[in-house]
Amino acid sequence: MDAEQGLPPGALPPGSVIGIVGGGQLGRMSAMAAARLGYRTHILTHEAEGPAAQVASGVTLGAHDDPAVLRRFADAVDVVTFEFENISADGLELLASLKPVRPDGAILRISQDRLAEKRFIEAAGVPVAPWHAVEDRAALDVAVGTLGLPFVLKTTRLGYDGKGQRVIRSPDELDAAFDALAPHPLVAEAFIDFACELSVMVARGLDGGAVAYDAVQNHHRDHILNLTLAPAPVTPGIAAEARALALRIAEALSLVGLLGVEMFVAADGRLLVNEIAPRPHNSGHWTMDACPVSQFEMHVRAVAGLPLPPAVRHSDAVMKNLVGPGEMALWPQIVATPGLLPHLYGKQEARPGRKMGHVNRLFPRGALPGAFGIAAALGPLAHDGSFSEA
Ligand SMILES: Nc1ncnc2c1ncn2[C@@H]1O[C@H](COP(=O)(O)OP(=O)(O)O)[C@@H](O)[C@H]1O
Ligand SMILES: [Mg+2]
């Protein structure tokens, strides 16, 4: 059988190798989805025993900024994608000269830089929080004048899980924050007293067809995602607007791949986009059990040039992250509780703040309970009372 025959133009036939830059859990779960579709995956990582390498058919070990390593990696694959966003512009260009890179490096460059990201999102006609570029100390005083207090000061690069940002509540804090946050430039953002945080996963294929999953609500703890509620308990109007904004950004980027779009719902119901990530996203893990086609399969399909099925949801769901040694200690109870659907990432050491896995809990469509019901449904994982505001 010629598996290529009849596939859309440019689509990878079964047996092709998808190269993934980055060896963490997002690569692992993408590799597992790729295997189900008959693809092999090859990981570029410095961790021989990392989460993705454990389940891939090949690994190139080395640094993602070493041209020789990148060449060896590109030689081994048919297409390149990412689960790790901090590859250098030079590294990206080298990869793109050797194999198709999806999503395109230009998209990665926008998402790597909060200033470029805000400019792009605004230019696409999508609202963001008021912001001010902070190139030097004087610009910080201007930012206080235009944004008022409090505001959030962030690095433009390399931030994650709340690292690389500070809330400034008084002018006394400006000097220390300016010196502590690096590299410069920084970006100052108005502090949004949000009603809640939402995200939408959107995918766009080689043929330009795009799909968006339902908007979900995210709860953070210590700046790390703790819970995702699918669908977000917001009005149908807000939910539709969130999907529309995510699709508009994907279109403006000419995305081929998967994109997570994080948003704030302001007190007046207006949506403001916070940041974008052109890869699978922690707040999309609920799709692994609540949707016929998970975010990881959608990612693989988009990158491989396959058709994108509708991003439908057959169940409501709660996703709870398993973070650090405390929550890993609950593993025996988690696997003993019917209805909890666990996913572990194969990380050897449960350091504080490290994402070790997640658990999904499904409910019939329309039956997502309130905070009390969610806590009850999560059983042993409601251990610290952190669902009171869910
Ligand atoms: N302008 C803001 N106003 C209020 N809260 C914010 C603002 N920016 C960020 N936050 C809070 O900090 C979290 C992390 O910020 P984010 O910009 O998403 O950085 P990261 O790259 O760490 O995810 C957000 O999910 C939100 O809870
Ligand atoms: Mg974020």
Side-chain angles (χ1 to χ4, degrees), residues 20-35 41 43 49-56 82-83 280 288 296 299-300 343-348 356-358:
I20 302 178
V21 178
Q25 62 266 22
L26 303 176
R28 176 189 182 90
M29 293 183 276
S30 297
M32 291 162 78
T41 43
I43 312 295
E49 291 298 321
Q54 290 170 26
V55 303
F82 298 88
E83 66 110 52
M288 295 174 82
F296 297 102
H299 178 215
V300 169
H343 300 256
L344 269 200
Y345 306 152
K347 297 182 183 177
Q348 265 94 53
M356 303 302 294
H358 67 271

PDB file of all heavy atoms in Angstrom, residues 20-35 41 43 49-56 82-83 280 288 296 299-300 343-348 356-358:
ATOM      1  N   ILE A  20      11.429  16.829  17.389  1.00  0.00           N
ATOM      2  CA  ILE A  20      10.921  17.730  18.431  1.00  0.00           C
ATOM      3  C   ILE A  20      12.106  18.340  19.179  1.00  0.00           C
ATOM      4  O   ILE A  20      12.929  17.614  19.737  1.00  0.00           O
ATOM      5  CB  ILE A  20      10.002  16.983  19.424  1.00  0.00           C
ATOM      6  CG1 ILE A  20       8.826  16.329  18.688  1.00  0.00           C
ATOM      7  CG2 ILE A  20       9.503  17.936  20.510  1.00  0.00           C
ATOM      8  CD1 ILE A  20       7.880  15.527  19.587  1.00  0.00           C
ATOM      9  N   VAL A  21      12.182  19.661  19.167  1.00  0.00           N
ATOM     10  CA  VAL A  21      13.216  20.353  19.936  1.00  0.00           C
ATOM     11  C   VAL A  21      12.711  20.485  21.367  1.00  0.00           C
ATOM     12  O   VAL A  21      11.687  21.130  21.609  1.00  0.00           O
ATOM     13  CB  VAL A  21      13.508  21.750  19.358  1.00  0.00           C
ATOM     14  CG1 VAL A  21      14.560  22.465  20.201  1.00  0.00           C
ATOM     15  CG2 VAL A  21      13.962  21.645  17.904  1.00  0.00           C
ATOM     16  N   GLY A  22      13.416  19.860  22.303  1.00  0.00           N
ATOM     17  CA  GLY A  22      13.012  19.915  23.713  1.00  0.00           C
ATOM     18  C   GLY A  22      12.608  18.545  24.206  1.00  0.00           C
ATOM     19  O   GLY A  22      11.950  17.788  23.470  1.00  0.00           O
ATOM     20  N   GLY A  23      13.017  18.216  25.425  1.00  0.00           N
ATOM     21  CA  GLY A  23      12.838  16.845  25.916  1.00  0.00           C
ATOM     22  C   GLY A  23      11.888  16.688  27.078  1.00  0.00           C
ATOM     23  O   GLY A  23      11.913  15.663  27.754  1.00  0.00           O
ATOM     24  N   GLY A  24      11.021  17.679  27.328  1.00  0.00           N
ATOM     25  CA  GLY A  24      10.148  17.639  28.505  1.00  0.00           C
ATOM     26  C   GLY A  24       8.828  16.919  28.258  1.00  0.00           C
ATOM     27  O   GLY A  24       8.665  16.198  27.277  1.00  0.00           O
ATOM     28  N   GLN A  25       7.874  17.174  29.148  1.00  0.00           N
ATOM     29  CA  GLN A  25       6.601  16.434  29.096  1.00  0.00           C
ATOM     30  C   GLN A  25       5.770  16.784  27.863  1.00  0.00           C
ATOM     31  O   GLN A  25       5.021  15.946  27.365  1.00  0.00           O
ATOM     32  CB  GLN A  25       5.772  16.655  30.368  1.00  0.00           C
ATOM     33  CG  GLN A  25       5.330  18.080  30.646  1.00  0.00           C
ATOM     34  CD  GLN A  25       6.300  18.800  31.561  1.00  0.00           C
ATOM     35  OE1 GLN A  25       7.456  18.427  31.682  1.00  0.00           O
ATOM     36  NE2 GLN A  25       5.811  19.847  32.224  1.00  0.00           N
ATOM     37  N   LEU A  26       5.902  18.005  27.355  1.00  0.00           N
ATOM     38  CA  LEU A  26       5.105  18.356  26.175  1.00  0.00           C
ATOM     39  C   LEU A  26       5.586  17.557  24.971  1.00  0.00           C
ATOM     40  O   LEU A  26       4.798  17.117  24.130  1.00  0.00           O
ATOM     41  CB  LEU A  26       5.165  19.856  25.916  1.00  0.00           C
ATOM     42  CG  LEU A  26       4.693  20.733  27.089  1.00  0.00           C
ATOM     43  CD1 LEU A  26       4.894  22.208  26.773  1.00  0.00           C
ATOM     44  CD2 LEU A  26       3.228  20.452  27.432  1.00  0.00           C
ATOM     45  N   GLY A  27       6.904  17.342  24.897  1.00  0.00           N
ATOM     46  CA  GLY A  27       7.466  16.496  23.852  1.00  0.00           C
ATOM     47  C   GLY A  27       7.069  15.040  24.047  1.00  0.00           C
ATOM     48  O   GLY A  27       6.785  14.324  23.077  1.00  0.00           O
ATOM     49  N   ARG A  28       7.051  14.611  25.290  1.00  0.00           N
ATOM     50  CA  ARG A  28       6.675  13.226  25.589  1.00  0.00           C
ATOM     51  C   ARG A  28       5.258  12.937  25.104  1.00  0.00           C
ATOM     52  O   ARG A  28       4.999  11.961  24.402  1.00  0.00           O
ATOM     53  CB  ARG A  28       6.753  13.009  27.108  1.00  0.00           C
ATOM     54  CG  ARG A  28       6.292  11.644  27.603  1.00  0.00           C
ATOM     55  CD  ARG A  28       6.220  11.684  29.132  1.00  0.00           C
ATOM     56  NE  ARG A  28       5.834  10.422  29.761  1.00  0.00           N
ATOM     57  CZ  ARG A  28       6.700   9.481  30.143  1.00  0.00           C
ATOM     58  NH1 ARG A  28       7.983   9.625  29.926  1.00  0.00           N
ATOM     59  NH2 ARG A  28       6.264   8.386  30.747  1.00  0.00           N
ATOM     60  N   MET A  29       4.329  13.831  25.466  1.00  0.00           N
ATOM     61  CA  MET A  29       2.929  13.564  25.124  1.00  0.00           C
ATOM     62  C   MET A  29       2.678  13.774  23.617  1.00  0.00           C
ATOM     63  O   MET A  29       1.828  13.093  23.039  1.00  0.00           O
ATOM     64  CB  MET A  29       2.007  14.402  26.019  1.00  0.00           C
ATOM     65  CG  MET A  29       2.108  13.920  27.482  1.00  0.00           C
ATOM     66  SD  MET A  29       1.029  14.747  28.667  1.00  0.00           S
ATOM     67  CE  MET A  29       1.989  16.217  29.069  1.00  0.00           C
ATOM     68  N   SER A  30       3.454  14.665  22.987  1.00  0.00           N
ATOM     69  CA  SER A  30       3.376  14.789  21.524  1.00  0.00           C
ATOM     70  C   SER A  30       3.888  13.513  20.864  1.00  0.00           C
ATOM     71  O   SER A  30       3.314  13.029  19.872  1.00  0.00           O
ATOM     72  CB  SER A  30       4.203  15.988  21.034  1.00  0.00           C
ATOM     73  OG  SER A  30       3.693  17.199  21.546  1.00  0.00           O
ATOM     74  N   ALA A  31       4.981  12.963  21.395  1.00  0.00           N
ATOM     75  CA  ALA A  31       5.552  11.733  20.834  1.00  0.00           C
ATOM     76  C   ALA A  31       4.572  10.573  20.952  1.00  0.00           C
ATOM     77  O   ALA A  31       4.447   9.749  20.030  1.00  0.00           O
ATOM     78  CB  ALA A  31       6.863  11.397  21.536  1.00  0.00           C
ATOM     79  N   MET A  32       3.877  10.499  22.074  1.00  0.00           N
ATOM     80  CA  MET A  32       2.903   9.417  22.254  1.00  0.00           C
ATOM     81  C   MET A  32       1.748   9.564  21.264  1.00  0.00           C
ATOM     82  O   MET A  32       1.278   8.569  20.686  1.00  0.00           O
ATOM     83  CB  MET A  32       2.411   9.405  23.709  1.00  0.00           C
ATOM     84  CG  MET A  32       3.514   8.957  24.678  1.00  0.00           C
ATOM     85  SD  MET A  32       3.207   9.380  26.408  1.00  0.00           S
ATOM     86  CE  MET A  32       2.021   8.121  26.856  1.00  0.00           C
ATOM     87  N   ALA A  33       1.315  10.796  21.028  1.00  0.00           N
ATOM     88  CA  ALA A  33       0.239  11.020  20.052  1.00  0.00           C
ATOM     89  C   ALA A  33       0.735  10.708  18.644  1.00  0.00           C
ATOM     90  O   ALA A  33      -0.002  10.156  17.811  1.00  0.00           O
ATOM     91  CB  ALA A  33      -0.253  12.465  20.150  1.00  0.00           C
ATOM     92  N   ALA A  34       1.992  11.055  18.363  1.00  0.00           N
ATOM     93  CA  ALA A  34       2.555  10.794  17.036  1.00  0.00           C
ATOM     94  C   ALA A  34       2.627   9.289  16.787  1.00  0.00           C
ATOM     95  O   ALA A  34       2.325   8.811  15.683  1.00  0.00           O
ATOM     96  CB  ALA A  34       3.948  11.426  16.930  1.00  0.00           C
ATOM     97  N   ALA A  35       3.020   8.544  17.800  1.00  0.00           N
ATOM     98  CA  ALA A  35       3.139   7.086  17.655  1.00  0.00           C
ATOM     99  C   ALA A  35       1.791   6.487  17.282  1.00  0.00           C
ATOM    100  O   ALA A  35       1.708   5.572  16.454  1.00  0.00           O
ATOM    101  CB  ALA A  35       3.659   6.474  18.957  1.00  0.00           C
ATOM    102  N   THR A  41       9.209   9.666  16.364  1.00  0.00           N
ATOM    103  CA  THR A  41       9.663  10.982  16.820  1.00  0.00           C
ATOM    104  C   THR A  41      11.134  10.903  17.197  1.00  0.00           C
ATOM    105  O   THR A  41      11.634   9.858  17.630  1.00  0.00           O
ATOM    106  CB  THR A  41       8.864  11.488  18.038  1.00  0.00           C
ATOM    107  OG1 THR A  41       8.688  10.428  18.953  1.00  0.00           O
ATOM    108  CG2 THR A  41       7.525  12.034  17.620  1.00  0.00           C
ATOM    109  N   ILE A  43      14.023  13.308  19.280  1.00  0.00           N
ATOM    110  CA  ILE A  43      14.051  14.414  20.238  1.00  0.00           C
ATOM    111  C   ILE A  43      15.432  15.047  20.279  1.00  0.00           C
ATOM    112  O   ILE A  43      16.443  14.333  20.339  1.00  0.00           O
ATOM    113  CB  ILE A  43      13.708  13.905  21.670  1.00  0.00           C
ATOM    114  CG1 ILE A  43      12.444  13.022  21.660  1.00  0.00           C
ATOM    115  CG2 ILE A  43      13.583  15.066  22.646  1.00  0.00           C
ATOM    116  CD1 ILE A  43      11.172  13.723  21.284  1.00  0.00           C
ATOM    117  N   GLU A  49      17.694  10.627  29.480  1.00  0.00           N
ATOM    118  CA  GLU A  49      16.615   9.883  30.143  1.00  0.00           C
ATOM    119  C   GLU A  49      15.432  10.785  30.462  1.00  0.00           C
ATOM    120  O   GLU A  49      14.655  10.486  31.361  1.00  0.00           O
ATOM    121  CB  GLU A  49      17.153   9.257  31.444  1.00  0.00           C
ATOM    122  CG  GLU A  49      18.160   8.132  31.218  1.00  0.00           C
ATOM    123  CD  GLU A  49      17.537   6.967  30.450  1.00  0.00           C
ATOM    124  OE1 GLU A  49      16.369   6.626  30.708  1.00  0.00           O
ATOM    125  OE2 GLU A  49      18.231   6.425  29.570  1.00  0.00           O
ATOM    126  N   GLY A  50      15.299  11.899  29.751  1.00  0.00           N
ATOM    127  CA  GLY A  50      14.226  12.844  30.048  1.00  0.00           C
ATOM    128  C   GLY A  50      12.865  12.316  29.630  1.00  0.00           C
ATOM    129  O   GLY A  50      12.758  11.262  28.991  1.00  0.00           O
ATOM    130  N   PRO A  51      11.803  13.063  29.972  1.00  0.00           N
ATOM    131  CA  PRO A  51      10.434  12.605  29.701  1.00  0.00           C
ATOM    132  C   PRO A  51      10.182  12.243  28.239  1.00  0.00           C
ATOM    133  O   PRO A  51       9.561  11.210  27.961  1.00  0.00           O
ATOM    134  CB  PRO A  51       9.585  13.807  30.122  1.00  0.00           C
ATOM    135  CG  PRO A  51      10.394  14.465  31.192  1.00  0.00           C
ATOM    136  CD  PRO A  51      11.830  14.302  30.776  1.00  0.00           C
ATOM    137  N   ALA A  52      10.659  13.042  27.298  1.00  0.00           N
ATOM    138  CA  ALA A  52      10.367  12.754  25.889  1.00  0.00           C
ATOM    139  C   ALA A  52      11.260  11.637  25.358  1.00  0.00           C
ATOM    140  O   ALA A  52      10.801  10.752  24.629  1.00  0.00           O
ATOM    141  CB  ALA A  52      10.535  14.029  25.047  1.00  0.00           C
ATOM    142  N   ALA A  53      12.546  11.668  25.730  1.00  0.00           N
ATOM    143  CA  ALA A  53      13.483  10.660  25.217  1.00  0.00           C
ATOM    144  C   ALA A  53      13.026   9.251  25.581  1.00  0.00           C
ATOM    145  O   ALA A  53      13.231   8.306  24.806  1.00  0.00           O
ATOM    146  CB  ALA A  53      14.887  10.932  25.768  1.00  0.00           C
ATOM    147  N   GLN A  54      12.381   9.101  26.737  1.00  0.00           N
ATOM    148  CA  GLN A  54      11.931   7.771  27.172  1.00  0.00           C
ATOM    149  C   GLN A  54      10.942   7.123  26.213  1.00  0.00           C
ATOM    150  O   GLN A  54      10.822   5.899  26.182  1.00  0.00           O
ATOM    151  CB  GLN A  54      11.258   7.871  28.553  1.00  0.00           C
ATOM    152  CG  GLN A  54      12.194   8.169  29.700  1.00  0.00           C
ATOM    153  CD  GLN A  54      11.421   8.481  30.973  1.00  0.00           C
ATOM    154  OE1 GLN A  54      10.287   8.041  31.140  1.00  0.00           O
ATOM    155  NE2 GLN A  54      12.026   9.250  31.857  1.00  0.00           N
ATOM    156  N   VAL A  55      10.202   7.939  25.455  1.00  0.00           N
ATOM    157  CA  VAL A  55       9.137   7.369  24.619  1.00  0.00           C
ATOM    158  C   VAL A  55       9.362   7.616  23.129  1.00  0.00           C
ATOM    159  O   VAL A  55       8.498   7.302  22.314  1.00  0.00           O
ATOM    160  CB  VAL A  55       7.739   7.915  25.020  1.00  0.00           C
ATOM    161  CG1 VAL A  55       7.442   7.648  26.488  1.00  0.00           C
ATOM    162  CG2 VAL A  55       7.632   9.411  24.736  1.00  0.00           C
ATOM    163  N   ALA A  56      10.510   8.182  22.766  1.00  0.00           N
ATOM    164  CA  ALA A  56      10.775   8.496  21.355  1.00  0.00           C
ATOM    165  C   ALA A  56      11.581   7.384  20.711  1.00  0.00           C
ATOM    166  O   ALA A  56      12.185   6.563  21.395  1.00  0.00           O
ATOM    167  CB  ALA A  56      11.522   9.818  21.260  1.00  0.00           C
ATOM    168  N   PHE A  82       8.572  22.088  18.022  1.00  0.00           N
ATOM    169  CA  PHE A  82       9.150  22.509  19.299  1.00  0.00           C
ATOM    170  C   PHE A  82       8.260  22.162  20.458  1.00  0.00           C
ATOM    171  O   PHE A  82       7.049  22.211  20.341  1.00  0.00           O
ATOM    172  CB  PHE A  82       9.286  24.032  19.320  1.00  0.00           C
ATOM    173  CG  PHE A  82      10.203  24.533  18.270  1.00  0.00           C
ATOM    174  CD1 PHE A  82       9.735  24.834  17.004  1.00  0.00           C
ATOM    175  CD2 PHE A  82      11.532  24.681  18.540  1.00  0.00           C
ATOM    176  CE1 PHE A  82      10.582  25.281  16.029  1.00  0.00           C
ATOM    177  CE2 PHE A  82      12.404  25.124  17.573  1.00  0.00           C
ATOM    178  CZ  PHE A  82      11.938  25.425  16.317  1.00  0.00           C
ATOM    179  N   GLU A  83       8.857  21.900  21.589  1.00  0.00           N
ATOM    180  CA  GLU A  83       8.116  21.917  22.845  1.00  0.00           C
ATOM    181  C   GLU A  83       8.828  22.875  23.782  1.00  0.00           C
ATOM    182  O   GLU A  83       8.396  23.139  24.882  1.00  0.00           O
ATOM    183  CB  GLU A  83       8.025  20.522  23.437  1.00  0.00           C
ATOM    184  CG  GLU A  83       9.352  19.949  23.887  1.00  0.00           C
ATOM    185  CD  GLU A  83       9.462  19.840  25.381  1.00  0.00           C
ATOM    186  OE1 GLU A  83       8.566  19.268  25.994  1.00  0.00           O
ATOM    187  OE2 GLU A  83      10.466  20.342  25.930  1.00  0.00           O
ATOM    188  N   PRO A 280       2.088  22.824  22.416  1.00  0.00           N
ATOM    189  CA  PRO A 280       1.102  22.337  23.385  1.00  0.00           C
ATOM    190  C   PRO A 280       1.272  23.108  24.698  1.00  0.00           C
ATOM    191  O   PRO A 280       2.351  23.625  24.987  1.00  0.00           O
ATOM    192  CB  PRO A 280       1.471  20.863  23.566  1.00  0.00           C
ATOM    193  CG  PRO A 280       2.266  20.499  22.355  1.00  0.00           C
ATOM    194  CD  PRO A 280       2.981  21.755  21.923  1.00  0.00           C
ATOM    195  N   MET A 288      -6.734  15.560  26.605  1.00  0.00           N
ATOM    196  CA  MET A 288      -6.264  14.179  26.436  1.00  0.00           C
ATOM    197  C   MET A 288      -7.352  13.166  26.759  1.00  0.00           C
ATOM    198  O   MET A 288      -7.362  12.070  26.210  1.00  0.00           O
ATOM    199  CB  MET A 288      -5.043  13.918  27.320  1.00  0.00           C
ATOM    200  CG  MET A 288      -3.843  14.754  26.927  1.00  0.00           C
ATOM    201  SD  MET A 288      -2.469  14.559  28.080  1.00  0.00           S
ATOM    202  CE  MET A 288      -1.729  13.047  27.464  1.00  0.00           C
ATOM    203  N   PHE A 296      -2.419  17.182  21.709  1.00  0.00           N
ATOM    204  CA  PHE A 296      -1.166  16.604  21.206  1.00  0.00           C
ATOM    205  C   PHE A 296      -1.366  15.981  19.830  1.00  0.00           C
ATOM    206  O   PHE A 296      -0.533  16.127  18.943  1.00  0.00           O
ATOM    207  CB  PHE A 296      -0.602  15.595  22.217  1.00  0.00           C
ATOM    208  CG  PHE A 296      -0.236  16.256  23.515  1.00  0.00           C
ATOM    209  CD1 PHE A 296      -1.067  16.161  24.621  1.00  0.00           C
ATOM    210  CD2 PHE A 296       0.910  17.035  23.608  1.00  0.00           C
ATOM    211  CE1 PHE A 296      -0.741  16.805  25.801  1.00  0.00           C
ATOM    212  CE2 PHE A 296       1.242  17.686  24.781  1.00  0.00           C
ATOM    213  CZ  PHE A 296       0.411  17.569  25.889  1.00  0.00           C
ATOM    214  N   HIS A 299      -1.626  18.842  17.470  1.00  0.00           N
ATOM    215  CA  HIS A 299      -0.281  19.368  17.219  1.00  0.00           C
ATOM    216  C   HIS A 299       0.410  18.528  16.148  1.00  0.00           C
ATOM    217  O   HIS A 299       0.909  19.054  15.152  1.00  0.00           O
ATOM    218  CB  HIS A 299       0.490  19.313  18.551  1.00  0.00           C
ATOM    219  CG  HIS A 299       1.912  19.763  18.467  1.00  0.00           C
ATOM    220  ND1 HIS A 299       2.908  19.196  19.225  1.00  0.00           N
ATOM    221  CD2 HIS A 299       2.509  20.723  17.735  1.00  0.00           C
ATOM    222  CE1 HIS A 299       4.056  19.793  18.952  1.00  0.00           C
ATOM    223  NE2 HIS A 299       3.847  20.724  18.058  1.00  0.00           N
ATOM    224  N   VAL A 300       0.423  17.209  16.345  1.00  0.00           N
ATOM    225  CA  VAL A 300       1.093  16.305  15.412  1.00  0.00           C
ATOM    226  C   VAL A 300       0.445  16.391  14.037  1.00  0.00           C
ATOM    227  O   VAL A 300       1.130  16.450  13.008  1.00  0.00           O
ATOM    228  CB  VAL A 300       1.050  14.864  15.957  1.00  0.00           C
ATOM    229  CG1 VAL A 300       1.499  13.874  14.895  1.00  0.00           C
ATOM    230  CG2 VAL A 300       1.910  14.752  17.209  1.00  0.00           C
ATOM    231  N   HIS A 343      -1.682  10.980  34.514  1.00  0.00           N
ATOM    232  CA  HIS A 343      -0.646  11.047  33.468  1.00  0.00           C
ATOM    233  C   HIS A 343       0.652  11.432  34.170  1.00  0.00           C
ATOM    234  O   HIS A 343       0.717  12.509  34.779  1.00  0.00           O
ATOM    235  CB  HIS A 343      -0.986  12.123  32.436  1.00  0.00           C
ATOM    236  CG  HIS A 343      -2.292  11.893  31.736  1.00  0.00           C
ATOM    237  ND1 HIS A 343      -2.364  11.414  30.456  1.00  0.00           N
ATOM    238  CD2 HIS A 343      -3.578  12.077  32.142  1.00  0.00           C
ATOM    239  CE1 HIS A 343      -3.640  11.311  30.089  1.00  0.00           C
ATOM    240  NE2 HIS A 343      -4.402  11.710  31.096  1.00  0.00           N
ATOM    241  N   LEU A 344       1.658  10.582  34.097  1.00  0.00           N
ATOM    242  CA  LEU A 344       2.953  10.903  34.720  1.00  0.00           C
ATOM    243  C   LEU A 344       3.994  11.140  33.638  1.00  0.00           C
ATOM    244  O   LEU A 344       3.955  10.523  32.583  1.00  0.00           O
ATOM    245  CB  LEU A 344       3.429   9.771  35.622  1.00  0.00           C
ATOM    246  CG  LEU A 344       3.038   9.787  37.092  1.00  0.00           C
ATOM    247  CD1 LEU A 344       3.984   8.889  37.876  1.00  0.00           C
ATOM    248  CD2 LEU A 344       3.036  11.183  37.679  1.00  0.00           C
ATOM    249  N   TYR A 345       4.967  12.004  33.951  1.00  0.00           N
ATOM    250  CA  TYR A 345       5.923  12.440  32.936  1.00  0.00           C
ATOM    251  C   TYR A 345       7.261  11.706  32.982  1.00  0.00           C
ATOM    252  O   TYR A 345       8.142  11.995  32.185  1.00  0.00           O
ATOM    253  CB  TYR A 345       6.166  13.946  33.069  1.00  0.00           C
ATOM    254  CG  TYR A 345       4.898  14.773  33.046  1.00  0.00           C
ATOM    255  CD1 TYR A 345       4.833  15.998  33.698  1.00  0.00           C
ATOM    256  CD2 TYR A 345       3.753  14.327  32.372  1.00  0.00           C
ATOM    257  CE1 TYR A 345       3.678  16.766  33.677  1.00  0.00           C
ATOM    258  CE2 TYR A 345       2.588  15.088  32.351  1.00  0.00           C
ATOM    259  CZ  TYR A 345       2.555  16.311  33.011  1.00  0.00           C
ATOM    260  OH  TYR A 345       1.418  17.069  32.999  1.00  0.00           O
ATOM    261  N   GLY A 346       7.442  10.784  33.923  1.00  0.00           N
ATOM    262  CA  GLY A 346       8.683  10.009  33.953  1.00  0.00           C
ATOM    263  C   GLY A 346       9.880  10.792  34.456  1.00  0.00           C
ATOM    264  O   GLY A 346      11.017  10.475  34.120  1.00  0.00           O
ATOM    265  N   LYS A 347       9.637  11.828  35.276  1.00  0.00           N
ATOM    266  CA  LYS A 347      10.761  12.592  35.838  1.00  0.00           C
ATOM    267  C   LYS A 347      11.259  11.878  37.083  1.00  0.00           C
ATOM    268  O   LYS A 347      10.465  11.469  37.928  1.00  0.00           O
ATOM    269  CB  LYS A 347      10.315  14.017  36.178  1.00  0.00           C
ATOM    270  CG  LYS A 347       9.883  14.803  34.957  1.00  0.00           C
ATOM    271  CD  LYS A 347       9.497  16.231  35.315  1.00  0.00           C
ATOM    272  CE  LYS A 347       8.994  16.959  34.079  1.00  0.00           C
ATOM    273  NZ  LYS A 347       8.528  18.329  34.359  1.00  0.00           N
ATOM    274  N   GLN A 348      12.578  11.773  37.167  1.00  0.00           N
ATOM    275  CA  GLN A 348      13.139  10.988  38.269  1.00  0.00           C
ATOM    276  C   GLN A 348      12.962  11.672  39.620  1.00  0.00           C
ATOM    277  O   GLN A 348      12.619  11.048  40.593  1.00  0.00           O
ATOM    278  CB  GLN A 348      14.622  10.708  38.018  1.00  0.00           C
ATOM    279  CG  GLN A 348      14.856   9.358  37.356  1.00  0.00           C
ATOM    280  CD  GLN A 348      14.945   9.493  35.829  1.00  0.00           C
ATOM    281  OE1 GLN A 348      15.716  10.284  35.336  1.00  0.00           O
ATOM    282  NE2 GLN A 348      14.145   8.724  35.100  1.00  0.00           N
ATOM    283  N   MET A 356       5.253  17.179  37.781  1.00  0.00           N
ATOM    284  CA  MET A 356       5.565  15.744  37.685  1.00  0.00           C
ATOM    285  C   MET A 356       4.548  14.986  36.831  1.00  0.00           C
ATOM    286  O   MET A 356       4.839  13.921  36.308  1.00  0.00           O
ATOM    287  CB  MET A 356       5.590  15.122  39.082  1.00  0.00           C
ATOM    288  CG  MET A 356       6.573  15.773  40.043  1.00  0.00           C
ATOM    289  SD  MET A 356       8.269  15.733  39.415  1.00  0.00           S
ATOM    290  CE  MET A 356       8.585  13.979  39.418  1.00  0.00           C
ATOM    291  N   GLY A 357       3.348  15.531  36.762  1.00  0.00           N
ATOM    292  CA  GLY A 357       2.283  14.863  36.025  1.00  0.00           C
ATOM    293  C   GLY A 357       1.003  15.655  36.184  1.00  0.00           C
ATOM    294  O   GLY A 357       1.015  16.781  36.709  1.00  0.00           O
ATOM    295  N   HIS A 358      -0.095  15.083  35.724  1.00  0.00           N
ATOM    296  CA  HIS A 358      -1.392  15.712  35.959  1.00  0.00           C
ATOM    297  C   HIS A 358      -2.462  14.633  36.014  1.00  0.00           C
ATOM    298  O   HIS A 358      -2.211  13.482  35.636  1.00  0.00           O
ATOM    299  CB  HIS A 358      -1.711  16.755  34.881  1.00  0.00           C
ATOM    300  CG  HIS A 358      -1.926  16.172  33.519  1.00  0.00           C
ATOM    301  ND1 HIS A 358      -0.904  15.981  32.623  1.00  0.00           N
ATOM    302  CD2 HIS A 358      -3.050  15.713  32.899  1.00  0.00           C
ATOM    303  CE1 HIS A 358      -1.385  15.438  31.514  1.00  0.00           C
ATOM    304  NE2 HIS A 358      -2.678  15.267  31.650  1.00  0.00           N
TER     305      HIS A 358
END
